[in-house]
Amino acid sequence: MKKGKIGIFDSGYGGLTVMRSIVDVLPEYDYLYFGDNARAPYGNRSFDTVYHYTLECVNWLFDEGCDLVILACNTASAKALRQIQQVDLPKRNDHKRVLGVIRPTTESIGEYSESGVVGVLGTAGTVASESYPKEIAKFYPSVLVEQEACPMWVYLVEHNQMVGEGADYFVKQHVDRILTRNPKIDTLLLACTHYPLLMETIKKFVPSSIRLVTQGGIVAEKLQDYLVRHSEIESGLIRGGKREFVTTDDASTFDLQASLFFGESLLARHIEIGAH
Ligand code: DGL
C-alpha cells in the first residue's frame, strides 16, 4: 500500500502555530500544510460554509496523498469535523482519517484548573458552536466553562498589530469581560490558532495567577499518543521529514506572514480550489 503524508489544514496562517509544535515533537513524518487564505477568516462564517470549505480542502489533501489530516483550526474543528467524520469519511471506504484540535484540548484542560472554572477565548463561530463547554463536560463534568468571543483578535494578528494601542484596547476589552463575568477563572484557554501570537499583549492584562493555555503543545502530544495507539495508521505514514506548504491566496504574501507563525522561513505554492 502507498504510504501517505500528514495534512495540516487551517483557514489561513494560524494552523502554523499548531504545525510548529507538531513538527517539533514528530519531525520524522512528511507534512503538507494547507492554508485557505483566499477564503479566510472562517471565524464569522456559517456552519454550512465552514463545513463545505473545510471538506473541499480536506478532499484536496486526500487527493494529494495525505492519509491523516489535522484540522488545525478551532472554527473548522467546531463546525465541520463531526460531519466529516460521521458522514463523509464512512462514504469513502478507505483508511483516511481526520482529527481536530478541540478534543485533545478538552481532554486535558481540566488538569490545569484548581478552581474548576475555565475561560475559553475563541472566534465567534467557535464560541457559538458550544463545542468547548460540551466537550469539556464529557471529560470534566464539574468544571464550569465561561466563553468569550474575541472577533477582532484574528484581524489584529493578520494585520501585524499584535502589540500597540489597538491590540491593547481589544485584548483588554475581552479579557476584562470574561474575568469580570467569573472572577473564579484560574485558567484561560486560547482556543484559536492565532491567539498565541497575541501572548505578549494578553499577558499585560491577565493577572499572573491565571494560567494561559495554548493548544499547539497539547495537540502535538496527543497526536504522538494517537500514533502510538494506532500503529495501523502510523505504519502507513511516510517518514521523509519533508514539509510542503500550499495556500489558496498569493504564495509570496503567505511566505512573508507565515514565518511569523511558523518561526522559520518557508516557501509555499499557490493552488486553486472551489470558487472564491
Ligand atoms: N484558525 C481559526 C481558528 O482557530 C482562526 C482564524 C479564522 O477565523 O479563520 O478558529
Side-chain angles (χ1 to χ4, degrees), residues 106 120 126-127 129-138 145 147:
T106 54
V120 172
T126 299
V127 167
S129 75
E130 295 277 327
S131 297
Y132 275 95
K134 282 184 201 153
E135 286 293 315
I136 291 172
K138 286 186 199 158
V145 180
Q147 297 195 96

Side-chain angles (χ1 to χ4, degrees), residues 10-15 39-44 72-76 101 122-123 126 154 158 191-195 215:
D10 183 47
S11 55
Y13 304 109
R39 302 188 291 196
Y42 280 13
N44 298 318
C73 172
N74 283 277
T75 310
V101 289
T123 65
T126 299
V154 165
E158 298 263 327
C192 172
T193 53
H194 278 58
Y195 297 176
Q215 295 178 297

Side-chain angles (χ1 to χ4, degrees), residues 18-227:
V18 176
M19 180 165 172
R20 175 76 268 159
S21 302
I22 291 178
V23 299
D24 283 346
V25 174
L26 301 164
E28 63 271 39
Y29 300 108
D30 276 17
Y31 293 92
L32 175 52
Y33 183 89
F34 188 122
D36 192 10
N37 296 76
R39 302 188 291 196
Y42 280 13
N44 298 318
R45 293 193 187 272
S46 70
F47 269 79
D48 243 27
T49 303
V50 172
Y51 163 66
H52 285 294
Y53 284 1
T54 305
L55 181 61
E56 219 169 19
C57 301
V58 165
N59 281 334
W60 188 91
L61 285 164
F62 285 163
D63 291 346
E64 286 293 307
C66 294
D67 284 350
L68 174 63
V69 174
I70 315 293
L71 302 186
C73 172
N74 283 277
T75 310
S77 298
K79 294 183 165 185
L81 180 62
R82 184 184 289 258
Q83 198 159 342
I84 291 175
Q85 282 177 333
Q86 295 182 354
V87 179
D88 300 293
L89 287 186
K91 282 189 208 152
R92 293 185 63 93
N93 202 15
D94 59 17
H95 53 283
K96 307 279 189 195
R97 294 277 188 284
V98 183
L99 303 172
V101 289
I102 295 180
R103 174 79 186 253
T105 314
T106 54
E107 265 175 18
S108 51
I109 193 67
E111 286 158 29
Y112 294 88
S113 174
E114 276 168 30
S115 69
V117 187
V118 170
V120 172
L121 302 164
T123 65
T126 299
V127 167
S129 75
E130 295 277 327
S131 297
Y132 275 95
K134 282 184 201 153
E135 286 293 315
I136 291 172
K138 286 186 199 158
F139 300 107
Y140 303 98
S142 63
V143 166
L144 183 70
V145 180
E146 295 285 350
Q147 297 195 96
E148 174 74 10
C150 314
M152 289 303 290
W153 290 18
V154 165
Y155 294 97
L156 288 171
V157 176
E158 298 263 327
H159 293 91
N160 256 319
Q161 300 290 314
M162 281 87 77
V163 287
E165 258 175 67
D168 283 355
Y169 178 83
F170 287 111
V171 168
K172 183 176 184 320
Q173 182 183 54
H174 294 293
V175 165
D176 283 356
R177 234 181 246 170
I178 193 166
L179 295 182
T180 308
R181 209 177 309 134
N182 198 327
K184 288 206 177 120
I185 291 173
D186 69 349
T187 306
L188 273 179
L189 171 66
L190 307 191
C192 172
T193 53
H194 278 58
Y195 297 176
L197 275 290
L198 284 168
M199 193 56 110
E200 194 183 324
T201 303
I202 294 171
K203 277 187 176 161
K204 273 172 78 173
F205 302 106
V206 174
S208 56
S209 56
I210 295 178
R211 203 157 191 174
L212 287 165
V213 180
T214 55
Q215 295 178 297
I218 299 174
V219 173
E221 197 186 303
K222 295 280 180 184
L223 177 60
Q224 189 174 31
D225 182 51
Y226 176 89
L227 293 176

Side-chain angles (χ1 to χ4, degrees), residues 230-246:
H230 294 272
S231 55
E232 76 287 2
I233 293 169
E234 199 284 333
S235 58
L237 295 173
I238 308 168
R239 289 168 159 264
K242 196 170 157 194
R243 293 158 199 184
E244 296 167 89
F245 302 85
V246 299

